[in-house]
Amino acid sequence: MGERDGIPISIDELNKLKAIAERARRNVIKMQFYDHSIHVGSSLSSIEILTTLIFRYIRDGQEKINKDWLILSKGHAAPALYAVLHEKGLIKEEELWKIQAIDGLLQGHPEVYIPGVDMSTGSLGQGLSFGIGVATGIKMAKGSGRVFVIMGDGEQDEGEVWEAATHAVARNLDNLIAFIEVNGYQLDARTSEVKPKDFLPDVYKAIGWRTFSCDGHDILSIINAVEEALKARKPAVIFAKTLRGKGFTPIENTKIQRANPDVARQFLLNT
Amino acid sequence: MLQGSFYSIREAFGRTLVKLGEEDKDIVVITADVGDSTRASYFREKFPDRYFNVGISEQDMVNFAAGLAAVGKKPVVADFAMFTMRAWEQIRNTTGRMNLNVKFTVTHAGYSDSGDGSSHQALEDIALMRTIPNFKVVVPADAAEVERSLPVIIKEQGPIYYRMGREYSPSITTGMDYKFEIGKAYVLKDGDDLAIMGAGVVLWDALKAAEELEKMGISTAVINVPTIKPIDENTIEYYARKTGRIVTVEEHTIYGGVGSAIAEVVVQKYPVPMRFIGSITFGRSARSQRELLDYYGINAENIIKKALELMK
């Protein structure tokens, strides 16, 4: 167990996490000044989940089997991960502004040579299987590490996710917690227009997962869901309702990934 | 000349894997429901706690193995060559990019799954796997070379694609005395006028062809190139210079496979005329692997034909 599992969050800590998330959000919006092709909308959908996991649950460490693992399977939300890792002190501010630059550290999708990144991702659908391997290896070695995997709702189209979903149950992995962000959009359109997604919680439950839900932008709601998931004694999945582009009104809750830098600049000046 | 089924390639693989499992407790074996067919099941019988059948799900198998490697296990994926290709992108994007210590030991490559036909015959896998950065690619010649090379493969750090057939394993390296090293080619027979180079069970045909060519007065070298990547540039260049002519032979497409890898060295180091023998089309069903090799001209007869073309 993590040393802070189950301990109720204080108002001070909650305010601290909110402030971290807000700074990370503004930094993601600012990153598009420097590289206009980053996935802003998808990143802003993940800010509070990443903040809560990295600042409250993830235990760092050199020992692979006794640390917690964070796998951003929806790797296009890399800017959010980098912005939160910067708050943690693992990535320097100047690197944020060099995102995707040829001489920069931060790649368009996560790579393991970036501090705080546990898996190289980017191609959707691959994180959960890897997480099952890590979680299984930890259990074989009787380690205390836990594995958190963050996926998107669009990502659930991938066949490998289904291969992995039944596999996690077969291995009875109680040290594996998956998040599925439900922001209702994938690259081309609303998820509902591409392939139905509403059945997902029922299907995960039917397969044998413990399923939970939360408001993916409400830190208290996320914490409550994680606390329940940690006690599940089974693979647990948290369906987190989120908004693509959350907090950046020019693109919030649309399929648009990014705004014109002038619009972004004006937005930051006004908020 | 042909050995009994005990010396089948997959038998040698399954038995050697068990021996390695006894020596190293970190070795874990992962399969996608083909444990019996690959003979990885021998490992399951001995070490059930270190054996994982993920079901018929190759993409999951590949990244599950990668996750195990990330926490220090030494995963050996045992699967059919054909269906491992299905997860090429997982192999590339997770194992390759993260340079993880996963061994892909695949059976049923080439025409070895003769009866099942073109859907099960992997003739493109060497080309696919050798393009992935960080990957090494090894193709043992026969069951004896499996016994000799698998321990070296498993001990080597980093990702390796290790390609085997099924039963058919005519004796090529049995009784030879050499230490297997990754990246090294081996001279099966020396010669001055022509060199036949290749990998896998088809080297038996290369040796038969060399025997016939000798009778015609053509001094023929036969070179076993089990490591396709990194390839033994020195030996290839040496024989290009020495013989001035090369025929390559492989149980794989000639586009991007063993012959191509050899040609990449030859054109840069010492260009000489070459001929390529291998597949150029999808396969079909047959009662044996041998029938298919003959049907598609991957045999001694065709090697001799190409060799004589080069001697003109």
Side-chain angles (χ1 to χ4, degrees):
Chain A
M1 291 291 279
E3 55 271 19
R4 294 163 72 202
D5 294 355
I7 297 175
I9 189 166
S10 66
I11 295 290
D12 279 354
E13 189 188 350
L14 181 62
N15 286 336
K16 189 182 138 215
L17 293 187
K18 282 182 178 172
I20 289 166
E22 195 47 39
R23 284 197 299 273
R25 169 164 281 111
R26 291 179 72 88
N27 279 341
V28 168
I29 296 168
K30 200 172 159 188
M31 272 186 234
Q32 71 191 307
F33 297 171
Y34 301 92
D35 192 305
H36 190 47
S37 69
I38 63 169
H39 296 83
V40 179
S42 301
S43 294
L44 296 181
S45 173
S46 306
I47 293 276
E48 281 80 9
I49 294 168
L50 286 166
T51 300
T52 307
L53 290 179
I54 289 172
F55 277 87
R56 187 169 164 89
Y57 290 101
I58 300 290
R59 295 162 303 163
D60 304 328
Q62 294 299 311
E63 281 182 85
K64 291 172 178 176
I65 57 163
N66 293 322
K67 70 176 228 91
D68 294 327
W69 291 65
L70 176 63
I71 295 163
L72 186 64
S73 192
K74 52 169 282 193
H76 52 289
L81 176 62
Y82 302 151
V84 177
L85 290 174
H86 163 62
E87 294 295 324
K88 191 82 178 171
L90 289 172
I91 291 173
K92 291 180 186 154
E93 185 181 334
E94 61 257 35
E95 288 295 346
L96 295 182
W97 317 136
K98 287 201 288 180
I99 187 167
Q100 297 188 168
I102 195 148
D103 60 344
L105 170 71
L106 305 181
Q107 304 299 298
H109 290 88
E111 298 275 2
V112 277
Y113 54 75
I114 298 168
V117 173
D118 286 332
M119 179 191 177
S120 295
T121 56
S123 177
L124 292 176
Q126 301 199 14
L128 190 56
S129 296
F130 183 85
I132 293 169
V134 172
T136 301
I138 287 170
K139 285 183 98 64
M140 286 178 86
K142 299 193 170 25
S144 63
R146 305 169 300 190
V147 182
F148 297 89
V149 181
I150 301 174
M151 294 179 281
D153 47 1
E155 185 174 2
Q156 304 302 304
D157 289 349
E158 289 283 1
E160 189 185 348
V161 174
W162 295 95
E163 297 181 1
T166 43
H167 188 189
V169 175
R171 296 260 96 79
N172 197 29
L173 294 171
D174 57 3
N175 56 346
L176 176 73
I177 295 179
F179 270 88
I180 297 175
E181 280 183 31
V182 185
N183 64 30
Y185 286 94
Q186 47 199 101
L187 199 55
D188 261 8
R190 288 178 184 274
T191 52
S192 56
E193 293 167 26
V194 181
K195 274 184 175 170
K197 303 287 187 297
D198 293 346
F199 63 87
L200 282 170
D202 290 339
V203 168
Y204 270 86
K205 194 174 173 193
I207 291 170
W209 288 66
R210 287 293 308 278
T211 59
F212 304 92
S213 62
C214 72
D215 176 338
H217 297 303
D218 177 343
I219 288 168
L220 269 181
S221 178
I222 296 167
I223 289 173
N224 286 337
V226 173
E227 291 294 337
E228 291 302 312
L230 287 169
K231 290 184 266 180
R233 293 169 176 265
K234 274 185 175 185
V237 56
I238 299 169
F239 287 88
K241 182 78 192 79
T242 59
L243 288 178
R244 193 138 103 159
K246 167 71 180 178
F248 181 37
T249 43
I251 63 166
E252 188 177 277
N253 202 24
T254 71
K255 70 167 225 171
I256 303 165
Q257 274 289 15
R258 52 194 76 86
N260 179 305
D262 292 337
V263 173
R265 200 168 280 114
Q266 202 55 47
F267 176 83
L268 288 177
L269 284 172
N270 293 343
T271 52
Chain B
M1 191 67 89
L2 300 183
Q3 300 281 352
S5 63
F6 177 81
Y7 284 101
S8 86
I9 291 241
R10 61 177 173 173
E11 284 292 324
F13 166 68
R15 288 164 195 264
T16 308
L17 196 53
V18 169
K19 279 188 203 153
L20 295 167
E22 281 162 359
E23 292 164 16
D24 189 341
K25 304 283 175 263
D26 282 331
I27 294 174
V28 292
V29 172
I30 300 111
T31 185
D33 216 35
V34 288
D36 289 333
S37 309
T38 57
R39 300 295 187 259
S41 53
Y42 299 164
F43 195 94
R44 174 184 68 209
E45 286 156 20
K46 199 78 189 269
F47 312 107
D49 295 342
R50 287 153 56 194
Y51 178 91
F52 302 98
N53 176 10
V54 305
I56 310 161
S57 47
E58 291 77 14
Q59 301 173 72
D60 184 44
M61 169 186 71
V62 166
N63 277 345
F64 173 62
L68 285 163
V71 285
K73 295 290 172 196
K74 296 174 182 167
V76 178
V77 170
D79 192 25
F80 286 9
M82 171 54 67
F83 305 116
T84 306
M85 283 200 270
R86 183 178 191 140
W88 183 85
E89 200 231 308
Q90 279 73 13
I91 294 173
R92 183 230 183 242
N93 262 336
T94 303
T95 304
R97 272 167 78 213
M98 294 171 73
N99 197 18
L100 289 166
N101 190 27
V102 183
K103 303 299 182 299
F104 296 91
T105 56
V106 304
T107 61
H108 296 63
Y111 295 106
S112 66
D113 197 349
S114 50
D116 282 316
S118 65
S119 67
H120 283 55
Q121 293 161 357
L123 297 164
E124 307 83 5
D125 52 329
I126 295 172
L128 283 176
M129 301 304 169
R130 78 185 185 94
T131 62
I132 305 176
N134 297 323
F135 261 74
K136 297 184 174 85
V137 177
V138 174
V139 182
D142 60 4
E145 196 163 67
V146 169
E147 290 175 351
R148 212 177 276 124
S149 61
L150 191 62
V152 179
I153 298 303
I154 301 296
K155 284 185 187 103
E156 177 83 359
Q157 182 66 30
I160 297 182
Y161 185 74
Y162 186 77
R163 183 202 207 230
M164 295 166 283
R166 189 173 171 230
E167 308 289 5
Y168 180 69
S169 179
S171 179
I172 297 161
T173 72
T174 316
M176 283 180 66
D177 184 25
Y178 64 98
K179 193 171 160 282
F180 185 89
E181 287 177 45
I182 292 168
K184 208 166 166 208
Y186 298 93
V187 180
L188 297 175
K189 182 191 165 305
D190 208 350
D192 300 317
D193 301 328
L194 175 95
I196 307 170
M197 299 184 182
V201 295
V202 291
L203 287 166
W204 184 80
D205 292 85
L207 287 167
K208 294 297 286 178
E211 232 173 76
E212 292 302 314
L213 289 164
E214 290 284 342
K215 287 179 195 163
M216 299 176 204
I218 300 165
S219 172
T220 306
V222 179
I223 315 297
N224 175 18
V225 189
T227 310
I228 317 304
K229 188 189 170 196
I231 204 159
D232 184 345
E233 297 191 1
N234 291 338
T235 301
I236 292 168
E237 183 187 352
Y238 176 84
Y239 277 90
R241 287 178 183 274
K242 186 181 186 192
T243 66
R245 300 166 190 85
I246 297 170
V247 177
T248 66
V249 58
E250 61 195 297
E251 194 184 1
H252 180 273
T253 175
I254 59 169
Y255 307 109
V258 182
S260 300
I262 291 167
E264 287 162 14
V265 177
V266 171
V267 294
Q268 294 182 80
K269 299 281 184 177
Y270 191 79
V272 298
M274 290 182 70
R275 291 291 182 274
F276 303 91
I277 295 175
S279 87
I280 53 169
T281 180
F282 290 114
R284 51 168 295 115
S285 287
R287 296 278 153 71
S288 77
Q289 183 176 359
R290 188 65 249 177
E291 277 186 325
L292 285 163
L293 290 170
D294 287 333
Y295 186 84
Y296 291 109
I298 305 172
N299 59 9
E301 196 185 358
N302 204 23
I303 295 171
I304 293 166
K305 198 175 133 197
K306 299 284 184 196
L308 294 176
E309 273 176 35
L310 286 177
M311 292 305 295
K312 274 180 192 164

